[in-house]
Amino acid sequence: MKTKISNLFEQIKDYRIEDELMSQDLIEEWINQFHEEDREFILEETTHLMKHRYLSLENAKLLIKNRIEFLYEKHNFATPQDFLEEVRIIDHQPEGKSQKILLNLLYEVCDEHFNFDLSNHFNIKAKYYLYFDDVLCTGDTLYKGLANNTETSKGFFFEKNVDGKTNLEVFIENDAKLLLSFFCLHKKNIYKVISRLRHGLKYSLNIYYSWNSGLEIDNTLEDNCKFNFFILSESNKSDKVEECENQIKNKLNTSNYYKEEDFYYRPDDIPDEEKLYSSKENRERYEKIISEICIDIYNGSEGLLDNARARPLGYGLRLENSLGFGTLFFTWRNAPYNTPLIFWYGHHGWTPLFRRNYIEY
């Protein structure tokens, strides 16, 4: 098993490397929490998943460089510098969120590869407003950051600009475009959040979104859905899963906006071709093992049980009929709340694979 631990470590060894959070000892502690007969299998399949869904710092820099090159060509600029002159960066997430780190990395890449100091660049007449983040899951963080408009929380577009106007007013005056750029996004939720933004701002923004095509997560749940995320199949519903489903329904029923619908499960034998896990059979086994342990973690925490968005397979939308969002995407800085609990939830006796800070918007 030492070799398998080492193989997984090689895939994720730069996770929060400056904080020294990742080690082979940690991986061994994490895997020893599983039943002995499952440990080698979980190590092998997790290593396979991380080859596709863990983004190292080195690869992140490469993707950022490629993204800038894509955007300047897409929007018909002669050079990256010409494009960056017309860009205004949206920096609105709280300290401690991973976006701050990503923006510093963006500035570093622009300085190194394009000889452009984006960190000190401010163009009040910018034609392109760039919102850059690692992953779009539910879209809730994006919406709050841009369109919240309460007495205690103002999103970027409702904040006052240097001339006393709101950023939205200046955006409209400049006939600007909003560029949403991610390493990874969930297909269903980008559509939802764009509609929600336009409704919340009461303005039909000109929005252009882009991402790394190899990291698109198809969670549309349509007949041709790729299901390239963590979602339990119908045939894997055990008594423990049924009990958890009923508990979540009872939690949702406390809302006046809840609609009784079937819970989301993956139809058996779909997708037709498995491209995320190492095989269809391994997917079934992996998701069954992980789901049941996540349910144990969930049931052991009053904080999770009482939180409307918290689910065993990751935080989701407040009224969603599911066991959780099921994101499978990690970076050298971030293990999203939307991933299954076994990866990041470090309470009540469980040691997660990816330790993280708890920063709410």
Side-chain angles (χ1 to χ4, degrees):
M1 196 165 75
K2 291 289 186 182
T3 300
K4 291 180 172 60
I5 289 173
S6 178
N7 291 340
L8 177 55
F9 177 71
E10 283 301 309
Q11 294 298 319
I12 60 177
K13 62 185 178 183
D14 74 341
Y15 178 74
R16 307 269 314 255
I17 191 169
E18 68 278 10
D19 300 321
E20 299 182 342
L21 293 183
M22 186 55 64
S23 69
Q24 294 194 46
D25 288 342
L26 172 63
I27 295 173
E28 184 173 9
E29 184 179 355
W30 178 72
I31 200 62
N32 282 339
Q33 297 169 113
F34 293 84
H35 294 304
E36 186 173 358
E37 63 271 21
D38 295 326
R39 290 172 189 169
E40 292 200 7
F41 167 73
I42 293 295
L43 279 171
E44 290 173 347
E45 197 64 23
T46 302
T47 302
H48 174 84
L49 289 170
M50 294 303 160
K51 288 178 180 178
H52 301 282
R53 291 296 182 81
Y54 178 84
L55 184 64
S56 68
L57 174 58
E58 181 181 353
N59 286 333
K61 290 179 179 179
L62 178 61
L63 290 183
I64 291 173
K65 177 178 178 290
N66 291 344
R67 182 61 43 210
I68 296 301
E69 290 172 343
F70 170 82
L71 288 172
Y72 95 79
E73 291 177 355
K74 180 69 177 180
H75 295 286
N76 300 315
F77 284 88
T79 68
Q81 293 81 0
D82 290 342
F83 166 69
L84 292 169
E85 280 287 350
E86 291 295 333
V87 166
R88 180 175 176 186
I89 296 295
I90 297 176
D91 179 2
H92 196 271
Q93 289 190 15
E95 291 295 333
K97 298 284 277 185
S98 62
Q99 189 194 47
K100 300 287 186 184
I101 305 296
L102 293 176
L103 290 180
N104 286 332
L105 196 61
L106 171 65
Y107 302 149
E108 180 184 326
V109 169
C110 287
D111 184 56
E112 178 181 349
H113 292 282
F114 307 120
N115 194 29
F116 193 94
D117 184 5
L118 190 59
S119 63
N120 293 310
H121 178 67
F122 179 77
N123 181 356
I124 191 65
K125 296 187 179 298
K127 296 293 185 181
Y128 297 90
Y129 284 48
L130 178 60
Y131 179 95
F132 178 54
D133 207 354
D134 52 2
V135 56
L136 180 120
C137 293
T138 65
D140 200 55
T141 297
L142 169 63
Y143 180 82
K144 289 177 180 178
L146 297 185
N148 254 13
N149 190 21
T150 68
E151 290 185 5
T152 58
S153 177
K154 296 288 184 185
F156 170 82
F157 279 114
F158 287 109
E159 284 187 335
K160 292 294 180 67
N161 212 308
V162 291
D163 54 4
K165 298 176 182 178
T166 67
N167 286 323
L168 180 60
E169 289 174 323
V170 176
F171 180 93
I172 294 171
E173 287 178 0
N174 293 345
D175 192 26
K177 293 180 180 179
L178 174 61
L179 306 182
L180 306 176
S181 186
F182 307 93
F183 294 132
C184 169
L185 62 77
H186 291 72
K187 191 174 178 180
K188 177 180 180 181
N189 297 84
I190 187 64
Y191 304 146
K192 282 188 173 184
V193 77
I194 287 175
S195 175
R196 189 180 174 196
L197 275 175
R198 288 170 172 160
H199 177 77
L201 295 173
K202 297 180 174 57
Y203 178 74
S204 185
L205 288 81
N206 189 348
I207 299 176
Y208 179 83
Y209 63 93
S210 64
W211 70 103
N212 180 277
S213 59
L215 292 173
E216 178 184 87
I217 298 177
D218 184 356
N219 65 331
T220 57
L221 304 183
E222 296 171 352
D223 291 341
N224 61 346
C225 179
K226 295 177 183 176
F227 286 98
N228 53 352
F229 60 104
F230 193 110
I231 177 170
L232 200 65
S233 68
E234 291 280 357
S235 61
N236 262 335
K237 288 173 61 176
S238 64
D239 290 342
K240 182 184 289 188
V241 172
E242 292 275 7
E243 290 172 7
C244 187
E245 176 184 323
N246 290 331
Q247 187 277 335
I248 292 172
K249 285 180 177 177
N250 290 336
K251 177 164 61 174
L252 297 180
N253 271 323
T254 61
S255 170
N256 294 330
Y257 299 100
Y258 175 62
K259 295 180 180 179
E260 181 72 33
E261 295 177 348
D262 291 338
F263 246 55
Y264 299 153
Y265 292 99
R266 177 171 49 82
D268 294 336
D269 300 322
I270 294 180
D272 294 333
E273 183 181 0
E274 181 59 60
K275 292 187 176 181
L276 177 60
Y277 293 85
S278 60
S279 70
K280 289 186 177 183
E281 295 76 18
N282 285 347
R283 175 179 196 144
E284 293 293 339
R285 182 182 176 189
Y286 190 84
E287 290 186 339
K288 181 176 178 61
I289 293 169
I290 298 297
S291 294
E292 300 217 345
I293 295 179
C294 285
I295 288 172
D296 289 339
I297 298 170
Y298 176 78
N299 288 337
S301 170
E302 290 184 9
L304 293 174
L305 291 170
D306 294 338
N307 187 323
R309 293 186 61 196
R311 309 292 169 81
L313 303 184
Y315 277 49
L317 295 171
R318 192 171 300 276
L319 299 177
E320 197 167 76
N321 289 275
S322 76
L323 292 174
F325 207 71
T327 292
L328 285 176
F329 177 72
F330 308 86
T331 75
W332 83 103
R333 277 295 307 176
N334 187 28
Y337 291 142
N338 315 90
T339 59
L341 296 177
I342 61 117
F343 291 113
W344 63 271
Y345 191 76
H347 291 292
H348 304 285
W350 181 260
T351 299
L353 183 60
F354 299 104
R355 296 187 177 118
R356 60 159 296 161
N357 296 326
Y358 293 83
I359 307 294
E360 295 290 350
Y361 206 98

